[in-house]
Amino acid sequence: MAHHEVDHVSGVTTTGHEWDGIKELNNPLPRWWLYVFYATIVWSFGYFLVYPSWPTLTGYTKGLLGYSQREAALTAVAEGAAARLQAGQGLADATLETIQGDPKLLEFAMANGKAAFGDNCAPCHGSGATGSKGYPNLQDDDWLWGGSLDAIHQTITVGIRSTHEESRISDMPAFGRDGLLERDQIKAVASYVRSLSGLPVPEGADLATGGTVYAENCASCHGEKGEGMAEMGAPNLADAIWLYGSDEKTVVETITNARRGVMPAWDGRLDPVTVKSLAVYVHALGGGS
Ligand code: HEC
Ligand code: HEC
């Protein structure tokens, strides 16, 4: 293969490299490119001087500025921690109402509450807080124990049928299992309850008996018209929202054996600032007054 062969089309010598008959021309580098290249070399000397650059036997050259990414990161982390501590302290001292009225505290409480919800509550209430059978949806404005800030805070603090000594407690009797009502009475009252929210009832259902059974056994907790009662943690039975399900079989099962869902207490397990944050967060999801 001949070196310094001259390409007869362009008149430029070739490098002698050839692939499948294609030869490489030995063109000089463009001027502008060369100058940029020299400029970067000059620039690098300036850089060596100002910033940490060359390794030495015991460490590295520190540069005139004394800049260190490690130190910059540590400072940023320390500043963040100080800001969080301050915000946390602000939450500890503030009432729930104050937090809601203060945009800065509210922002911090919401972020804190959201994170704590994902860690502690999502396994039962769902990551979107929409609940599932037996685990209430916290997004809707339908509350067993009340949807005010204080009511929600209390529920989270002491739990429901939990081991906390001040736990919210309300035990619906197991009307069938404990022999308080006959099978027919349970069927009748189940139909009656379903009729409250306009659900269809089986042909020949005895709504009159159902109504009487309801007034005598259920109204004390669920209210005269099935509107529910927050002091008893008893759900509204006249709306379209069901904790355990609205079909005939499920309602009969609920009345026969009762449910008595358990919500753990968080007092002592989560610090007060986190519990407050959770109350604010959950209230913002679907709370009311
Ligand atoms: C082990 C499952 C479980 C976990 C974990 C749990 N909950 Fe609950 N929660 C329940 C159940 C069950 C109920 C409904 C109890 C009932 O039937 O009365 C409930 C009810 C509630 C209520 C009352 C709803 C209403 O309608 O009044 C709130 C508020 C609540 N939970 C918030 C939380 C928060 C906040 C957390 C996380 C710190 C949490 N829950 C963690 C199971 C759980
Ligand atoms: C001592 C109060 C109390 C009495 C009396 C009571 N309940 Fe309940 N009931 C509750 C509570 C509290 C719940 C909440 C769910 C739980 O136990 O986890 C509930 C839940 C229910 C549910 C489930 C609703 C849903 O959304 O899935 C139905 C249905 C129901 N009750 C019907 C009745 C009927 C019918 C009677 C009368 C025969 C009755 N209850 C009597 C307290 C009571």
Side-chain angles (χ1 to χ4, degrees):
M1 190 123 316
H3 280 265
H4 310 303
E5 180 188 338
V6 175
D7 174 50
H8 65 92
V9 178
S10 59
V12 178
T13 50
T14 66
T15 59
H17 301 153
E18 180 180 340
W19 296 271
D20 296 338
I22 299 172
K23 295 173 181 173
E24 189 183 11
L25 298 183
N26 193 10
N27 275 316
L29 292 163
R31 276 288 151 97
W32 66 265
W33 191 92
L34 217 55
Y35 288 143
V36 170
F37 180 62
Y38 292 147
T40 60
I41 293 175
V42 173
W43 173 263
S44 72
F45 281 104
Y47 200 94
F48 294 157
L49 210 63
V50 174
Y51 283 101
S53 45
W54 290 105
T56 61
L57 279 182
T58 53
Y60 56 90
T61 58
K62 297 270 183 328
L64 291 176
L65 286 182
Y67 174 80
S68 149
Q69 278 190 335
R70 184 186 175 77
E71 228 132 82
L74 287 179
T75 311
V77 167
E79 278 170 1
R84 265 200 309 283
L85 194 72
Q86 211 180 11
Q89 192 57 43
L91 283 195
D93 298 340
T95 66
L96 291 166
E97 284 72 20
T98 317
I99 296 170
Q100 261 194 337
D102 182 322
K104 267 200 140 153
L105 287 178
L106 183 62
E107 191 190 338
F108 181 75
M110 287 294 287
N112 203 24
K114 186 171 188 196
F117 193 91
D119 289 345
N120 301 286
C121 323
C124 287
H125 290 284
S127 53
T130 47
S132 56
K133 182 173 175 177
Y135 300 104
N137 182 340
L138 303 176
Q139 292 270 11
D140 59 16
D141 191 12
D142 186 57
W143 298 90
L144 298 163
W145 293 94
S148 72
L149 253 186
D150 287 325
I152 293 172
H153 185 260
Q154 178 72 3
T155 301
I156 300 172
T157 305
V158 303
I160 303 168
R161 301 176 193 92
S162 74
T163 50
H164 195 281
E165 54 185 26
E166 286 164 46
S167 171
R168 294 193 184 280
I169 290 180
S170 164
D171 287 342
M172 171 163 160
F175 289 97
R177 199 175 63 214
D178 294 345
L180 301 171
L181 293 175
E182 301 297 330
R183 184 95 192 132
D184 288 349
Q185 289 177 302
I186 292 178
K187 279 198 150 162
V189 78
S191 291
Y192 176 78
V193 163
R194 282 168 44 87
S195 75
L196 291 177
S197 53
L199 292 168
V201 296
E203 198 132 343
D206 190 352
L207 290 181
T209 302
T212 312
V213 171
Y214 182 88
E216 287 170 0
N217 299 278
C218 323
S220 56
C221 286
H222 289 284
E224 241 169 85
K225 299 190 179 69
E227 69 275 18
M229 209 179 284
E231 304 88 79
M232 304 303 292
N236 184 331
L237 299 178
D239 61 12
I241 298 173
W242 295 83
L243 186 54
Y244 289 97
S246 65
D247 61 285
E248 189 86 20
K249 194 164 159 261
T250 305
V251 175
V252 165
E253 161 71 18
T254 299
I255 301 169
T256 305
N257 292 318
R259 302 286 184 172
R260 302 180 191 163
V262 172
M263 151 84 178
W266 297 91
D267 180 25
R269 282 209 266 173
L270 296 176
D271 63 87
V273 166
T274 304
V275 172
K276 269 190 198 177
S277 301
L278 280 164
V280 169
Y281 175 72
V282 170
H283 184 262
L285 289 180
S289 45

